[in-house]
Amino acid sequence: MDEPRADDLPRLTQLAHGGGCACKIPPGELDALVAGVSGAHGTPVDPALELLVGLDGGGDDAAVARLDAERAIVTTADFFTPVVDDPYDWGRIAAANALSDVYAMGGVPVTAVNLLGWPRERLGLELAARVLSGGRDVAHAAGCHVGGGHSVDDPEPKYGMSVVGVVHPDRMLRMDAATPGLPLTLTKPLGTGVLNSRHKATGTVFPEAVETMATLNRDASRAAVESGIRSGTDVTGFGLLGHLYKLARAANVTAVIHSSAVPFLPDARKAVADGFVSGGTRRNLEWITPFTDFGSVSHEDRLLLADAQTSGGLLLAGELPGHPVIGEIRPPGPLPLVVRD
């Protein structure tokens, strides 16, 4: 673990009320909001393309529209307030998180544009340039073009990307395709939420958490598609349990998690024990509890499983060699989620 930063850069995390994907609108409130603008309220006039995945798909990570028999367009956008103090690392993490929505659909990102909110009277534009450089470098490593974007003067710094990708219509990853009998695989460890909360409160840097968040989900997505997996999502602000509940709800199945099989980042348990739990994580747990049979699982483990992740891994209904199996999909039961020790 590194010591708190000794340089004189402003602490970006102190300029925002929250950080990373923990800033999402609470999931229960978001469900109600989305229900008010779903397909039940109309469709486009004479649409140019067939919509394969949209608001009515159960909350997938991106919209998908068919171009032809072998190609579909994936579109998404994601941005958030600073999750770390280093501007270049924040840019890397935000870009990896935005690109992840395309990977979570089994797609390949091809173009991106920047989304930037910046308090230009409080922070110099040279810091904004470092954020944008981090995003550009991660997007380029993904083989994705970055072609401009949009910026506004904002009291809180915010950064992310709108991304367009491509996917084969018959080889998508989508949440409603999970079927009983499939194992559940997780491709990144949990714990970024509580470690980011500790970083925000103390300035302590957790390099392994930073690199985990900045790592692309590209290889895992490609391997999943090639192995025949067709159901999955990524784990971000609603936590492992929140995103798994959305998958189970969309597919009308029960998902079982074995908490002892779930990987966690070093120091994550200590961060929970020391009280570094975001409001987003607590809201996640409150939202998911009525839909979950927790058995004898401890409150600390419940918080970790609901921890609001930033740029987390893929959660796949299928086995992916090299990554831990953390549970399985079962036929629908009394509750959509079951957690066991």
Side-chain angles (χ1 to χ4, degrees):
M1 180 192 308
D2 283 3
E3 294 300 316
R5 296 173 1 137
D7 58 46
D8 58 358
L9 288 175
R11 292 202 57 211
L12 294 176
T13 57
Q14 302 305 296
L15 302 178
H17 71 284
C21 292
C23 285
K24 283 187 172 183
I25 292 175
E29 295 179 24
L30 188 60
D31 275 350
L33 174 63
V34 171
V37 292
S38 69
H41 297 270
T43 58
V45 175
D46 193 21
L49 300 176
E50 176 193 1
L51 185 67
L52 299 180
V53 179
L55 285 176
D56 297 330
D60 278 284
D61 296 282
V64 182
R66 184 191 299 274
L67 280 173
D68 54 39
E70 296 188 351
R71 296 177 303 163
I73 297 174
V74 184
T75 57
T76 184
D78 211 312
F79 63 96
F80 47 61
T81 55
V83 68
V84 293
D85 290 323
D86 185 277
Y88 182 77
D89 282 343
W90 174 33
R92 294 167 63 215
I93 292 164
N97 184 72
L99 293 163
S100 182
D101 283 345
V102 175
Y103 294 130
M105 302 302 297
V108 176
V110 292
T111 60
V113 293
N114 293 303
L115 304 172
L116 179 69
W118 201 253
R120 59 183 184 81
E121 294 185 359
R122 297 184 65 185
L123 295 176
L125 290 180
E126 67 277 5
L127 287 182
R130 292 177 64 179
V131 176
L132 294 174
S133 294
R136 175 205 61 206
D137 289 352
V138 164
H140 284 181
C144 179
H145 298 288
V146 180
H150 183 68
S151 61
V152 296
D153 190 347
D154 193 324
E156 287 189 331
K158 300 178 180 71
Y159 175 63
M161 287 180 163
S162 176
V163 186
V164 174
V166 292
V167 69
H168 193 293
D170 299 328
R171 304 180 72 191
M172 285 191 293
L173 301 174
R174 50 190 300 164
M175 290 198 292
D176 62 5
T179 57
L182 292 173
L184 284 166
T185 298
L186 182 65
T187 67
K188 285 186 184 181
L190 303 183
T192 59
V194 291
L195 294 179
N196 290 340
S197 293
R198 187 163 210 149
H199 173 67
K200 179 179 173 66
T202 68
T204 303
V205 177
F206 297 90
E208 188 170 347
V210 171
E211 291 310 311
T212 293
M213 290 185 286
T215 297
L216 293 167
N217 282 324
R218 174 189 54 200
D219 294 346
S221 176
R222 180 184 300 155
V225 170
E226 291 178 351
S227 70
I229 294 173
R230 294 294 175 262
S231 181
T233 185
D234 63 350
V235 179
T236 55
F238 300 151
L240 173 66
L241 291 182
H243 289 284
L244 184 58
Y245 167 61
K246 291 175 66 180
L247 184 148
R249 181 178 64 183
N252 189 30
V253 295
T254 289
V256 179
I257 289 292
H258 305 287
S259 61
S260 60
V262 177
F264 294 99
L265 287 164
D267 298 305
R269 288 191 176 278
K270 187 175 189 308
V272 170
D274 291 343
F276 294 100
V277 179
S278 70
T281 291
R282 296 188 187 280
R283 289 190 294 271
N284 287 344
L285 183 57
E286 180 181 4
W287 173 58
I288 210 67
T289 293
F291 310 112
T292 308
D293 174 1
F294 279 107
S296 61
V297 173
S298 70
H299 185 65
E300 178 181 281
D301 279 352
R302 297 182 191 194
L303 285 170
L304 284 167
L305 294 173
D307 189 36
Q309 302 299 282
T310 294
S311 191
L314 299 182
L315 175 64
L316 301 166
E319 186 169 357
L320 197 62
H323 299 282
V325 171
I326 63 167
E328 63 270 356
I329 300 293
R330 295 181 181 174
L335 293 171
L337 295 184
V338 175
V339 182
R340 294 292 179 256
D341 293 325

